[in-house]
Amino acid sequence: MQFEPIVGERNKRPMFIAGPCSAETEDLVMETARALAAGGKTDYFRAGIWKPRTRPGEFEGVGSVGLPWMRRVKEETGLKTTTEVGTHYHVFEALKYGIDALWIGARTTANPFSVQEIADALKGTDIPVLIKNPVNADLKLWIGAIERVYKAGITKIAAIHRGFTYHGQTPFRNMPHWQIPIDLKRAFPQLPVLCDNSHICGRRDILFDVAQKAFDLNFDGLMTETHPNPDKAWSDAAQQITPEQYLALIDRLIIRPTESDDQEFIENIVHLRHEIDDMDEELINLLGRRMKIADRIGEYKKHNNIAIYQNRRWNEILEKAIENGRNRGLSEEFVSIILKAIHDESINHQEEILKK
Ligand code: PEP
Ligand code: MN
């Protein structure tokens, strides 16, 4: 796929999108937009016109009556505008009122029928489309949505990481699996990837840390929900910040260039990367040798008719490795993920041996 850049209002990287979760009233929309425009740190003004709420009866957006408010934002503040579309009707309405970019929400991205419906409605236009990750941590589904939109003739596309549904305790509303957007970027190096820190966090106090992390990982922009009176917001009150807080957050961010022309720095990095490459090779060799031993154990177990998996043995391995890792500054989570992956592979090998 060949993507074209989405030119923001300030026409430079990174791209900043801010505005309320929902376009509640014309006054709210105009007040927020004016404050953001005055700060000079916003490319696109966001506001949800149609809201995909988890349960019926919650505020589902004002609908098309809010579209002229967005046009007023553009006329009076010069900010470009963007809103979420979930059906072909939303697309037609948004285009009719001159919305500058559309975004596809996480619940919609998860549904290929809906994405296709939107893609079909987009045919013949060249409006930029921002595609949020699906609610579930499925890179292929995210790529599938990007492909559907691209095949409809849209080339100005960006992806937005807004975190994934996660079962279990986390500090986040939606768990950021950073490796997934990183893999997306690796698959499509030209595709801008933005971070929606608001929907990842679901709360105000960690918005900055998540935004900084995204830029440390070389993300191309940020989408943040802003509301002049966040506690009174009709949706997502807990995560919205005032335009002033938003501008302060942007000012605090450290956005480092990804390249440098300092010769000494480049030489040092090249040297260190060689070391990493050598170690990665060693690691793989070592894992290969470890697996050969697991294979031999598998043969013995087969001859002696013993079950492959032994709980006590596995617990010992894991505990020893976690302790060892701790002494080397490796987190328990990391060591257990690695060990579990190795153990899985050993079991698969031994199963193959049993089948022979
Ligand atoms: C939103 O941006 O307000 C929204 C509903 O986002 P998501 O699709 O990420 O839940
Ligand atoms: Mn929201």
Side-chain angles (χ1 to χ4, degrees), residues 160 180 211 230 332:
I160 304 180
I180 293 183
E332 175 169 343

Side-chain angles (χ1 to χ4, degrees), residues 318-354:
L318 198 57
E319 274 164 29
K320 213 162 92 190
I322 287 172
E323 179 58 28
N324 200 353
R326 199 175 287 129
N327 296 333
R328 289 174 163 71
L330 303 173
S331 72
E332 175 169 343
E333 192 197 2
F334 172 70
V335 173
S336 33
I337 288 173
I338 299 275
L339 252 279
K340 278 178 192 161
I342 294 173
H343 189 241
D344 257 3
E345 180 77 2
S346 298
I347 287 186
N348 289 342
H349 269 239
Q350 295 187 354
E351 268 174 359
E352 284 306 311
I353 289 168
L354 271 190

Side-chain angles (χ1 to χ4, degrees), residues 20-22 46-48 50-53 84 103-109 132-133 135 160-163 173-174 196 198-200 223 225 235-236 239:
C21 178
S22 314
R46 65 148 282 155
W50 301 278
K51 299 302 300 174
R53 303 313 298 275
E84 172 168 355
W103 88 77
I104 298 180
R107 296 161 191 80
T108 308
T109 306
K132 293 209 187 187
N133 62 253
V135 278
I160 304 180
H161 181 34
R162 52 76 81 195
R173 177 178 175 194
N174 293 293
D196 172 346
S198 300
H199 290 89
I200 288 178
M223 179 189 260
E225 288 185 343
S235 57
D236 288 352
Q239 71 197 27

